[in-house]
Amino acid sequence: ELVEDISLGNVNNKIVYVFKKPDTNHPGCFIEWDEDGFSNYGIELEALFTRDWLIPSPDTNPSAKATAVITAQGTEWDDLILGGKLQRSEIVNTNGMTILADSLFFDMSDVSNPAAITFPQNYAGETSELFRGFYMKALEVEMPNGWQTQANNKPKAAIQNMIIDDMGVTLYAEATSVVQFPNAKVSELVASIDTVHVELVASSLVEAGIRGRLGLPVSKKDSIQNPLKYTALFNNPQTPGALSNYQLAISPTGPVNAHMLKGNLILAPTSNMVATIDKNKTSFNLTMNGQLNWASVKLGPINNVNLGLKFQGMAMTYNSLNANQLGFIIGNWSFASEQKFLANFPITIDEVKYT
């Protein structure tokens, strides 16, 4: 048996293998013989991955490395496939996306692969029995920073088939119906997470995006009709020091019941939202153009108001770092059509205020 731990690097020293000695907490590495010769072996090792690929989550020690613990026992050396577990780790440069694999295989065999292995469709390495590396059939992914459930937890999705080899992490993931509307939050707005797409090749993020629906803060979250569709695309700035982030684009789907304004909003296609979600803050700037309709509502002392107003540049802003996080800009307003009347009196618009 080993009398002390032994560390060996892979071909590019991106993975360090620590072969463990047997002790109270570790079965360790050993070989047994009997009167007929070799009879049994045991292997226990820790694989430490470079912080260029993965970091522990939570990351409390800047020198610590994400670790997989793997073991095997057997009687044949020709078909060596070890099993183990990968600790909760954050994929570098994904704005906080984390993975947890309760079951992984370390393939050191040249004659077979782990049972039912399915290589990611974007994997360009060896896919025959000569494949050597780590394979995760099923794993759990936590959403990046900025996406939460209403209970302030990170939403999770189940995905399949991740590879770690000498070149890095390769993953092609699609998850659907992750969190139903309105049980998620994006930049503090009620939302859904309908589709998650992540494509990673040799630890380089090729593409990442999230699609879903988003409720405006002018509506009650439990009675939102026609929530906006959003697409959030990963942005990795090339400017030194700039943080990676997700940027959102929205599209209206129909009239919005604006409880705060006591009417129905019809948003024009020119309405837009710029939202940025990085590891330090979430923020958005929502600019709305369109029309606000009141149908048989009571405005102050006046009953049965039927009125349509056009607006341009009505805006809402949010910044999680500000003392007053949410801001509102009323924009410019005008009548949607010809002369309007209230209680049979002609009216004009001098100014619109919201208090």
Side-chain angles (χ1 to χ4, degrees):
E1 63 182 39
L2 288 183
V3 296
E4 61 181 21
D5 295 348
I6 297 177
S7 297
L8 298 173
N10 73 329
V11 65
N12 53 13
N13 286 319
K14 296 292 187 180
I15 307 173
V16 175
Y17 302 104
V18 181
F19 292 84
K20 307 297 292 184
K21 68 177 182 179
D23 59 26
T24 304
N25 299 317
H26 301 278
C29 299
F30 62 87
I31 299 176
E32 295 179 349
W33 287 267
D34 57 22
E35 64 274 10
D36 297 321
F38 166 74
S39 63
N40 187 32
Y41 69 84
I43 297 176
E44 180 185 12
L45 64 87
E46 294 178 349
L48 310 179
F49 301 103
T50 174
R51 290 178 63 91
D52 295 336
W53 298 349
L54 300 168
I55 57 176
S57 179
D59 186 24
T60 57
N61 182 348
S63 63
K65 294 183 178 182
T67 303
V69 178
I70 42 186
T71 60
Q73 289 189 355
T75 59
E76 300 290 338
W77 291 104
D78 295 336
D79 194 12
L80 192 56
I81 299 177
L82 289 73
K85 177 179 179 179
L86 174 68
Q87 74 173 117
R88 187 172 182 268
S89 304
E90 178 181 331
I91 303 175
V92 173
N93 293 327
T94 60
N95 206 36
M97 183 176 291
T98 62
I99 56 174
L100 176 64
D102 286 331
S103 177
L104 65 77
F105 297 98
F106 181 33
D107 186 348
M108 301 176 66
S109 171
D110 288 338
V111 298
S112 66
N113 291 329
I117 188 171
T118 301
F119 290 95
Q121 65 185 66
N122 58 341
Y123 182 62
E126 179 63 63
T127 58
S128 72
E129 290 81 2
L130 297 178
F131 164 76
R132 287 198 170 194
F134 297 86
Y135 171 64
M136 282 132 280
K137 178 67 177 176
L139 57 155
E140 186 177 75
V141 174
E142 286 187 344
M143 295 297 99
N145 298 319
W147 275 264
Q148 292 181 316
T149 66
Q150 291 295 334
N152 295 321
N153 299 315
K154 278 190 173 185
K156 299 177 181 179
I159 63 173
Q160 293 186 322
N161 304 323
M162 188 174 90
I163 294 290
I164 305 177
D165 61 11
D166 290 337
M167 303 308 296
V169 180
T170 297
L171 171 69
Y172 190 97
E174 290 276 0
T176 59
S177 300
V178 179
V179 183
Q180 299 297 316
F181 187 88
N183 297 324
K185 292 192 294 186
V186 179
S187 292
E188 297 301 321
L189 300 178
V190 294
S192 69
I193 301 174
D194 298 340
T195 305
V196 177
H197 172 81
V198 182
E199 186 175 352
L200 198 70
V201 176
S203 287
S204 294
L205 189 63
V206 177
E207 186 178 70
I210 301 173
R211 289 187 174 89
R213 291 169 293 158
L214 196 68
L216 294 177
V218 296
S219 303
K220 285 185 175 181
K221 72 176 184 179
D222 57 354
S223 60
I224 295 176
Q225 297 174 333
N226 301 317
L228 309 178
K229 290 182 179 180
Y230 76 84
T231 300
L233 296 178
F234 182 79
N235 176 47
N236 193 8
Q238 301 303 308
T239 305
L243 297 175
S244 59
N245 56 69
Y246 284 81
Q247 296 185 344
L248 273 71
I250 62 166
S251 58
T253 61
V256 177
N257 181 14
H259 179 267
M260 187 175 79
L261 301 174
K262 301 185 183 300
N264 285 325
L265 281 175
I266 301 175
L267 296 179
T270 53
S271 302
N272 68 87
M273 178 179 185
V274 177
T276 301
I277 303 169
D278 61 39
K279 69 178 183 180
N280 294 329
K281 74 176 190 310
T282 60
S283 64
F284 69 77
N285 191 329
L286 172 64
T287 301
M288 293 176 285
N289 305 314
Q291 185 170 322
L292 176 63
N293 293 330
W294 289 289
S296 300
V297 300
K298 182 178 180 181
L299 293 180
I302 305 174
N303 294 318
N304 298 319
V305 174
N306 292 278
L307 192 63
L309 296 178
K310 289 182 178 179
F311 59 87
Q312 187 173 12
M314 183 168 64
M316 295 182 181
T317 61
Y318 174 82
N319 189 318
S320 61
L321 299 182
N322 292 344
N324 296 318
Q325 296 178 331
L326 187 65
F328 183 75
I329 300 170
I330 195 64
N332 300 311
W333 294 72
S334 63
F335 287 125
S337 57
E338 69 278 353
Q339 177 68 62
K340 298 296 181 182
F341 295 84
L342 284 179
N344 294 322
F345 288 97
I347 59 173
T348 59
I349 296 176
D350 292 330
E351 187 178 10
V352 176
K353 292 184 178 180
Y354 178 80
T355 57

Coordinates of all heavy atoms in Angstrom, one line a residue, residues 182-262:
P182 N -45.5 32.5 -12.2 CA -44.5 33.6 -11.9 C -43.6 33.2 -10.8 O -43.3 34.0 -9.9 CB -45.5 34.7 -11.5 CG -46.5 34.0 -10.8 CD -46.7 32.6 -11.4
N183 N -43.1 32.0 -10.8 CA -42.3 31.4 -9.6 C -40.9 31.7 -9.6 O -40.1 31.3 -8.7 CB -42.6 29.9 -9.5 CG -44.0 29.6 -9.2 OD1 -44.7 30.3 -8.5 ND2 -44.5 28.5 -9.8
A184 N -40.4 32.4 -10.7 CA -39.0 32.8 -10.7 C -38.9 34.4 -10.6 O -39.9 35.1 -10.8 CB -38.3 32.3 -12.0
K185 N -37.6 34.8 -10.4 CA -37.4 36.3 -10.4 C -36.1 36.5 -11.3 O -35.1 35.8 -11.2 CB -37.1 36.8 -9.0 CG -38.3 36.8 -8.1 CD -38.0 37.6 -6.8 CE -37.0 36.9 -5.9 NZ -36.8 37.6 -4.6
V186 N -36.2 37.6 -12.1 CA -35.1 38.0 -12.9 C -35.0 39.5 -12.7 O -35.9 40.3 -13.0 CB -35.3 37.8 -14.4 CG1 -34.1 38.3 -15.2 CG2 -35.4 36.3 -14.7
S187 N -33.9 40.0 -12.1 CA -33.7 41.4 -11.7 C -34.9 41.9 -10.9 O -35.4 43.0 -11.1 CB -33.6 42.3 -13.0 OG -32.4 42.0 -13.7
E188 N -35.3 41.0 -10.0 CA -36.4 41.3 -9.1 C -37.8 41.4 -9.8 O -38.8 41.8 -9.1 CB -36.2 42.6 -8.3 CG -34.9 42.5 -7.4 CD -35.1 41.4 -6.3 OE1 -36.1 41.2 -5.8 OE2 -34.0 40.7 -6.1
L189 N -37.9 41.1 -11.0 CA -39.2 41.0 -11.7 C -39.7 39.6 -11.7 O -38.9 38.7 -12.0 CB -39.0 41.5 -13.2 CG -38.5 43.0 -13.3 CD1 -38.4 43.3 -14.8 CD2 -39.5 44.0 -12.6
V190 N -41.0 39.4 -11.5 CA -41.5 38.0 -11.6 C -41.3 37.5 -13.0 O -41.4 38.2 -14.0 CB -43.0 38.0 -11.2 CG1 -43.2 38.4 -9.7 CG2 -43.8 38.9 -12.1
A191 N -41.0 36.2 -13.1 CA -40.6 35.6 -14.4 C -40.8 34.1 -14.4 O -41.2 33.5 -13.4 CB -39.1 36.0 -14.6
S192 N -40.6 33.6 -15.5 CA -40.4 32.1 -15.7 C -39.1 31.9 -16.3 O -38.4 32.8 -16.8 CB -41.5 31.5 -16.6 OG -41.3 32.0 -17.9
I193 N -38.6 30.6 -16.2 CA -37.4 30.2 -16.9 C -37.9 29.0 -17.8 O -38.1 27.9 -17.3 CB -36.3 29.7 -16.0 CG1 -35.9 30.9 -15.1 CG2 -35.1 29.2 -16.7 CD1 -34.9 30.5 -14.0
D194 N -38.1 29.3 -19.1 CA -38.7 28.3 -20.0 C -37.6 27.4 -20.6 O -37.8 26.2 -20.7 CB -39.5 29.0 -21.0 CG -40.7 29.8 -20.5 OD1 -41.1 29.5 -19.3 OD2 -41.2 30.7 -21.1
T195 N -36.5 28.0 -21.0 CA -35.5 27.2 -21.7 C -34.1 27.7 -21.3 O -33.9 28.9 -21.2 CB -35.6 27.4 -23.3 OG1 -37.0 27.0 -23.7 CG2 -34.6 26.5 -24.0
V196 N -33.2 26.8 -21.1 CA -31.8 27.1 -20.8 C -31.0 26.4 -21.8 O -31.1 25.2 -22.0 CB -31.5 26.7 -19.3 CG1 -30.0 27.0 -19.1 CG2 -32.3 27.4 -18.3
H197 N -30.0 27.1 -22.4 CA -29.1 26.5 -23.4 C -27.7 26.9 -23.0 O -27.4 28.1 -22.8 CB -29.4 27.0 -24.8 CG -28.4 26.6 -25.8 ND1 -28.4 25.4 -26.4 CD2 -27.3 27.3 -26.3 CE1 -27.4 25.3 -27.2 NE2 -26.7 26.4 -27.2
V198 N -26.8 25.9 -22.9 CA -25.4 26.1 -22.6 C -24.6 25.3 -23.5 O -24.8 24.1 -23.6 CB -25.1 25.8 -21.1 CG1 -23.6 26.1 -20.8 CG2 -26.0 26.6 -20.2
E199 N -23.6 25.9 -24.2 CA -22.7 25.1 -25.0 C -21.2 25.6 -24.6 O -20.8 26.7 -24.8 CB -22.9 25.5 -26.5 CG -22.1 24.6 -27.4 CD -22.4 24.8 -28.9 OE1 -23.4 25.5 -29.2 OE2 -21.7 24.3 -29.8
L200 N -20.5 24.6 -24.1 CA -19.1 24.8 -23.6 C -18.2 23.8 -24.3 O -18.5 22.6 -24.4 CB -19.1 24.5 -22.1 CG -18.0 25.0 -21.3 CD1 -18.0 26.6 -21.2 CD2 -18.1 24.5 -19.9
V201 N -17.1 24.2 -24.9 CA -16.2 23.4 -25.6 C -14.8 23.6 -25.1 O -14.3 24.8 -25.1 CB -16.2 23.6 -27.1 CG1 -15.1 22.8 -27.8 CG2 -17.6 23.3 -27.7
A202 N -14.2 22.6 -24.5 CA -12.8 22.7 -23.9 C -12.7 23.9 -23.0 O -11.7 24.7 -23.1 CB -11.8 22.7 -25.1
S203 N -13.7 24.1 -22.2 CA -13.8 25.2 -21.2 C -13.9 26.6 -21.8 O -13.6 27.6 -21.1 CB -12.6 25.1 -20.2 OG -12.7 24.0 -19.3
S204 N -14.2 26.7 -23.1 CA -14.5 27.9 -23.7 C -16.1 28.0 -23.9 O -16.6 27.1 -24.5 CB -13.8 28.1 -25.0 OG -12.4 28.2 -24.8
L205 N -16.7 29.0 -23.4 CA -18.1 29.2 -23.5 C -18.4 29.7 -24.9 O -18.1 30.8 -25.3 CB -18.7 30.2 -22.5 CG -20.2 30.2 -22.4 CD1 -20.8 28.9 -21.9 CD2 -20.6 31.3 -21.4
V206 N -19.1 28.8 -25.7 CA -19.5 29.1 -27.1 C -20.7 29.9 -27.1 O -20.9 30.9 -27.8 CB -19.6 27.8 -27.9 CG1 -20.1 28.2 -29.3 CG2 -18.3 27.1 -28.0
E207 N -21.7 29.5 -26.3 CA -23.0 30.1 -26.3 C -23.8 29.8 -25.0 O -23.7 28.6 -24.6 CB -23.8 29.7 -27.5 CG -25.2 30.4 -27.7 CD -25.9 30.0 -29.0 OE1 -26.4 28.9 -29.0 OE2 -25.9 30.8 -29.9
A208 N -24.5 30.7 -24.5 CA -25.4 30.5 -23.4 C -26.5 31.4 -23.4 O -26.4 32.6 -23.7 CB -24.6 30.6 -22.0
G209 N -27.7 30.9 -23.2 CA -28.9 31.8 -23.2 C -30.0 31.2 -22.4 O -30.1 30.0 -22.1
I210 N -30.9 32.1 -22.0 CA -32.1 31.7 -21.2 C -33.3 32.4 -21.8 O -33.2 33.6 -22.1 CB -31.9 32.1 -19.7 CG1 -30.7 31.4 -19.1 CG2 -33.2 31.7 -18.9 CD1 -30.3 31.8 -17.7
R211 N -34.4 31.7 -22.0 CA -35.6 32.3 -22.5 C -36.7 32.1 -21.4 O -36.8 31.1 -20.7 CB -36.0 31.7 -23.8 CG -35.2 32.1 -25.0 CD -35.7 31.6 -26.3 NE -35.0 32.1 -27.4 CZ -33.9 31.5 -27.9 NH1 -33.5 30.3 -27.4 NH2 -33.3 32.0 -29.0
G212 N -37.7 33.0 -21.4 CA -38.8 32.9 -20.5 C -39.8 34.0 -20.7 O -39.8 34.7 -21.7
R213 N -40.6 34.2 -19.6 CA -41.6 35.3 -19.6 C -41.3 36.2 -18.4 O -40.8 35.7 -17.4 CB -43.0 34.7 -19.6 CG -43.3 34.1 -21.0 CD -44.6 33.3 -20.8 NE -44.5 32.1 -19.9 CZ -45.5 31.5 -19.3 NH1 -46.7 32.0 -19.5 NH2 -45.2 30.5 -18.5
L214 N -41.7 37.5 -18.5 CA -41.3 38.5 -17.5 C -42.5 39.3 -17.3 O -43.2 39.8 -18.2 CB -40.2 39.3 -18.1 CG -39.4 40.2 -17.2 CD1 -38.5 39.3 -16.2 CD2 -38.4 41.1 -18.0
G215 N -42.8 39.6 -16.0 CA -43.9 40.5 -15.6 C -43.4 41.9 -15.3 O -42.3 42.0 -14.7
L216 N -44.2 42.9 -15.6 CA -43.8 44.3 -15.3 C -44.2 44.6 -13.9 O -45.3 44.2 -13.4 CB -44.5 45.2 -16.3 CG -44.0 45.1 -17.8 CD1 -44.8 46.0 -18.7 CD2 -42.5 45.4 -17.9
P217 N -43.5 45.5 -13.3 CA -43.9 45.9 -11.9 C -45.1 46.8 -11.8 O -45.6 47.1 -10.7 CB -42.6 46.7 -11.4 CG -41.9 47.2 -12.7 CD -42.2 46.1 -13.7
V218 N -45.7 47.1 -13.0 CA -47.0 47.9 -13.0 C -48.2 46.9 -12.7 O -49.3 47.4 -12.6 CB -47.2 48.7 -14.3 CG1 -46.2 49.7 -14.4 CG2 -47.2 47.7 -15.5
S219 N -47.9 45.6 -12.7 CA -49.0 44.6 -12.6 C -48.8 43.9 -11.3 O -47.7 43.8 -10.7 CB -48.9 43.6 -13.7 OG -49.0 44.3 -15.0
K220 N -49.9 43.3 -10.8 CA -49.8 42.4 -9.6 C -49.3 41.1 -10.1 O -49.7 40.6 -11.1 CB -51.2 42.2 -9.0 CG -51.7 43.4 -8.2 CD -53.1 43.0 -7.5 CE -53.5 44.1 -6.6 NZ -54.8 43.7 -5.9
K221 N -48.4 40.5 -9.3 CA -47.7 39.3 -9.8 C -48.6 38.1 -9.9 O -48.4 37.1 -10.7 CB -46.5 38.9 -9.0 CG -46.8 38.4 -7.6 CD -45.6 38.0 -6.8 CE -45.9 37.4 -5.5 NZ -44.6 37.0 -4.8
D222 N -49.8 38.1 -9.2 CA -50.7 37.0 -9.2 C -51.8 37.2 -10.2 O -52.7 36.3 -10.3 CB -51.3 36.7 -7.8 CG -52.0 38.0 -7.2 OD1 -51.9 39.0 -7.9 OD2 -52.6 37.9 -6.2
S223 N -51.8 38.2 -11.0 CA -52.8 38.4 -12.0 C -52.3 39.1 -13.3 O -52.9 39.9 -13.9 CB -53.9 39.3 -11.4 OG -53.4 40.6 -11.0
I224 N -51.1 38.7 -13.7 CA -50.4 39.2 -14.8 C -50.9 38.5 -16.1 O -50.8 37.3 -16.2 CB -48.9 39.1 -14.7 CG1 -48.4 40.0 -13.6 CG2 -48.2 39.6 -16.0 CD1 -46.9 39.9 -13.3
Q225 N -51.5 39.3 -17.0 CA -51.8 38.7 -18.3 C -50.8 39.1 -19.3 O -50.2 40.2 -19.3 CB -53.2 39.3 -18.7 CG -54.3 38.9 -17.8 CD -55.6 39.6 -18.2 OE1 -55.6 40.7 -18.8 NE2 -56.8 39.0 -17.9
N226 N -50.5 38.2 -20.3 CA -49.6 38.4 -21.4 C -48.3 38.9 -20.9 O -47.8 40.0 -21.3 CB -50.2 39.4 -22.4 CG -51.6 39.0 -22.9 OD1 -51.7 37.8 -23.3 ND2 -52.5 39.8 -23.0
P227 N -47.6 38.2 -20.0 CA -46.2 38.6 -19.7 C -45.3 38.7 -20.9 O -45.5 38.1 -21.9 CB -45.8 37.5 -18.7 CG -46.6 36.4 -19.0 CD -47.9 36.9 -19.5
L228 N -44.3 39.6 -20.8 CA -43.4 39.8 -21.9 C -42.5 38.6 -22.1 O -42.2 37.9 -21.1 CB -42.5 41.0 -21.6 CG -43.2 42.3 -21.2 CD1 -42.1 43.4 -20.9 CD2 -44.1 42.8 -22.3
K229 N -42.2 38.3 -23.3 CA -41.2 37.3 -23.6 C -39.8 37.9 -23.5 O -39.6 39.1 -23.9 CB -41.3 36.7 -25.0 CG -42.6 35.9 -25.2 CD -42.6 35.3 -26.6 CE -43.8 34.4 -26.8 NZ -43.8 33.9 -28.2
Y230 N -38.8 37.2 -22.9 CA -37.5 37.7 -22.8 C -36.5 36.6 -23.3 O -36.7 35.4 -23.2 CB -37.1 38.1 -21.4 CG -36.8 37.0 -20.4 CD1 -35.5 36.4 -20.3 CD2 -37.8 36.5 -19.5 CE1 -35.3 35.4 -19.5 CE2 -37.5 35.5 -18.6 CZ -36.3 34.9 -18.6 OH -36.0 33.9 -17.7
T231 N -35.4 37.1 -23.8 CA -34.2 36.3 -24.2 C -33.0 36.9 -23.6 O -32.7 38.1 -23.7 CB -34.1 36.2 -25.7 OG1 -35.2 35.7 -26.3 CG2 -32.8 35.4 -26.1
A232 N -32.3 36.1 -22.8 CA -31.1 36.6 -22.1 C -29.9 35.9 -22.7 O -29.8 34.6 -22.7 CB -31.2 36.3 -20.6
L233 N -29.0 36.6 -23.3 CA -27.8 36.1 -23.9 C -26.6 36.4 -23.1 O -26.4 37.5 -22.6 CB -27.7 36.6 -25.3 CG -28.8 36.2 -26.3 CD1 -28.6 36.8 -27.7 CD2 -28.9 34.7 -26.4
F234 N -25.7 35.4 -23.0 CA -24.4 35.6 -22.3 C -23.5 36.6 -23.0 O -23.4 36.5 -24.3 CB -23.7 34.3 -22.1 CG -22.5 34.4 -21.3 CD1 -22.5 34.5 -19.9 CD2 -21.2 34.4 -21.9 CE1 -21.4 34.7 -19.1 CE2 -20.1 34.5 -21.1 CZ -20.1 34.6 -19.8
N235 N -22.9 37.5 -22.3 CA -22.0 38.5 -22.9 C -20.7 38.4 -22.1 O -20.7 38.6 -20.9 CB -22.6 39.9 -22.8 CG -21.6 41.0 -23.3 OD1 -21.0 40.8 -24.4 ND2 -21.5 42.0 -22.6
N236 N -19.6 38.1 -22.8 CA -18.3 38.1 -22.2 C -17.5 39.2 -22.8 O -16.9 39.1 -23.9 CB -17.6 36.7 -22.5 CG -16.4 36.5 -21.7 OD1 -16.1 37.3 -20.8 ND2 -15.7 35.5 -22.0
P237 N -17.5 40.4 -22.2 CA -16.8 41.6 -22.7 C -15.3 41.3 -22.9 O -14.6 40.6 -22.2 CB -17.0 42.7 -21.6 CG -18.2 42.2 -20.8 CD -18.1 40.7 -20.8
Q238 N -14.8 41.9 -24.0 CA -13.4 41.8 -24.3 C -12.6 42.9 -23.6 O -11.3 42.8 -23.6 CB -13.2 41.9 -25.8 CG -13.9 40.9 -26.6 CD -13.5 39.4 -26.2 OE1 -12.3 39.1 -26.1 NE2 -14.5 38.6 -25.9
T239 N -13.2 43.9 -23.0 CA -12.5 44.9 -22.3 C -11.9 44.4 -21.0 O -12.6 43.7 -20.2 CB -13.5 46.1 -21.9 OG1 -14.1 46.5 -23.1 CG2 -12.7 47.2 -21.2
P240 N -10.6 44.6 -20.8 CA -9.9 44.0 -19.6 C -10.6 44.6 -18.3 O -10.9 45.7 -18.2 CB -8.5 44.6 -19.7 CG -8.3 44.8 -21.2 CD -9.6 45.2 -21.7
G241 N -10.9 43.6 -17.4 CA -11.6 44.0 -16.1 C -13.1 44.1 -16.2 O -13.7 44.1 -15.1
A242 N -13.7 44.1 -17.4 CA -15.1 44.1 -17.4 C -15.7 42.7 -17.1 O -15.1 41.7 -17.4 CB -15.6 44.5 -18.8
L243 N -16.8 42.7 -16.4 CA -17.4 41.5 -15.9 C -18.3 40.9 -16.9 O -19.0 41.6 -17.7 CB -18.2 41.8 -14.6 CG -17.5 42.3 -13.4 CD1 -18.5 42.6 -12.3 CD2 -16.5 41.3 -12.9
S244 N -18.3 39.5 -17.0 CA -19.2 38.8 -17.9 C -20.6 39.0 -17.3 O -20.8 39.2 -16.1 CB -18.9 37.3 -17.9 OG -18.9 36.8 -16.6
N245 N -21.6 39.0 -18.2 CA -23.0 39.3 -17.8 C -24.0 38.7 -18.7 O -23.6 38.2 -19.8 CB -23.2 40.8 -17.6 CG -22.9 41.5 -18.9 OD1 -23.6 41.4 -19.9 ND2 -21.8 42.3 -18.9
Y246 N -25.2 38.7 -18.4 CA -26.3 38.4 -19.3 C -27.1 39.6 -19.6 O -27.4 40.4 -18.7 CB -27.2 37.3 -18.6 CG -26.6 35.9 -18.6 CD1 -25.7 35.6 -17.6 CD2 -27.0 35.0 -19.5 CE1 -25.2 34.3 -17.6 CE2 -26.5 33.7 -19.5 CZ -25.6 33.4 -18.5 OH -25.0 32.1 -18.5
Q247 N -27.4 39.8 -20.9 CA -28.2 40.9 -21.3 C -29.5 40.4 -21.9 O -29.6 39.5 -22.7 CB -27.4 41.7 -22.4 CG -26.1 42.3 -21.8 CD -25.4 43.2 -22.8 OE1 -25.6 43.1 -24.0 NE2 -24.4 44.0 -22.3
L248 N -30.6 41.1 -21.5 CA -31.9 40.7 -21.8 C -32.5 41.6 -22.9 O -32.3 42.8 -22.9 CB -32.9 40.8 -20.6 CG -32.9 39.6 -19.6 CD1 -31.6 39.5 -18.9 CD2 -34.0 39.7 -18.6
A249 N -33.3 40.9 -23.8 CA -34.2 41.6 -24.7 C -35.6 41.1 -24.5 O -35.8 40.0 -24.2 CB -33.7 41.3 -26.2
I250 N -36.6 42.0 -24.7 CA -38.0 41.7 -24.5 C -38.8 41.9 -25.7 O -38.4 42.6 -26.6 CB -38.6 42.5 -23.3 CG1 -38.5 44.0 -23.7 CG2 -37.8 42.3 -22.0 CD1 -39.4 44.9 -22.8
S251 N -39.9 41.2 -25.8 CA -40.9 41.4 -26.8 C -42.3 41.3 -26.2 O -42.6 40.4 -25.5 CB -40.7 40.4 -28.0 OG -40.8 39.1 -27.5
P252 N -43.2 42.3 -26.5 CA -44.6 42.2 -26.0 C -45.4 41.0 -26.6 O -45.1 40.6 -27.7 CB -45.2 43.5 -26.4 CG -44.0 44.4 -26.8 CD -43.0 43.5 -27.3
T253 N -46.3 40.5 -25.8 CA -47.2 39.4 -26.3 C -48.6 39.8 -26.3 O -49.4 39.0 -26.8 CB -47.0 38.2 -25.4 OG1 -47.4 38.5 -24.1 CG2 -45.5 37.7 -25.4
G254 N -49.0 41.0 -25.9 CA -50.4 41.4 -25.9 C -50.7 42.4 -24.8 O -49.7 42.9 -24.1
P255 N -51.9 42.9 -24.6 CA -52.2 43.9 -23.6 C -51.8 43.4 -22.2 O -52.0 42.3 -21.9 CB -53.7 44.1 -23.7 CG -54.0 43.6 -25.1 CD -53.1 42.5 -25.4
V256 N -51.3 44.4 -21.4 CA -50.8 44.1 -20.1 C -51.8 44.8 -19.1 O -52.0 46.0 -19.2 CB -49.4 44.6 -19.9 CG1 -48.9 44.3 -18.4 CG2 -48.4 43.8 -20.8
N257 N -52.3 44.0 -18.2 CA -53.2 44.6 -17.1 C -52.3 45.4 -16.1 O -51.6 44.8 -15.3 CB -53.9 43.5 -16.4 CG -54.9 44.0 -15.3 OD1 -55.1 45.2 -15.3 ND2 -55.3 43.2 -14.5
A258 N -52.3 46.7 -16.3 CA -51.4 47.6 -15.4 C -52.1 48.0 -14.2 O -52.8 49.1 -14.2 CB -50.9 48.7 -16.3
H259 N -52.1 47.2 -13.2 CA -52.8 47.5 -11.9 C -52.4 48.9 -11.4 O -53.2 49.7 -10.8 CB -52.7 46.4 -10.9 CG -53.3 46.6 -9.6 ND1 -52.7 47.2 -8.5 CD2 -54.6 46.4 -9.2 CE1 -53.6 47.3 -7.5 NE2 -54.7 46.8 -7.9
M260 N -51.1 49.2 -11.4 CA -50.6 50.4 -10.8 C -51.2 51.6 -11.6 O -51.4 52.7 -10.9 CB -49.1 50.4 -10.9 CG -48.4 51.6 -10.2 SD -46.6 51.5 -10.2 CE -46.3 52.0 -11.9
L261 N -51.5 51.5 -12.9 CA -52.0 52.6 -13.7 C -53.5 52.5 -13.9 O -54.1 53.3 -14.6 CB -51.3 52.7 -15.0 CG -49.7 52.9 -14.9 CD1 -49.1 52.8 -16.3 CD2 -49.4 54.2 -14.2
K262 N -54.1 51.4 -13.3 CA -55.6 51.2 -13.4 C -56.1 51.1 -14.8 O -57.2 51.5 -15.1 CB -56.3 52.3 -12.6 CG -55.9 52.4 -11.2 CD -56.8 53.4 -10.4 CE -56.3 53.6 -9.0 NZ -56.4 52.3 -8.2

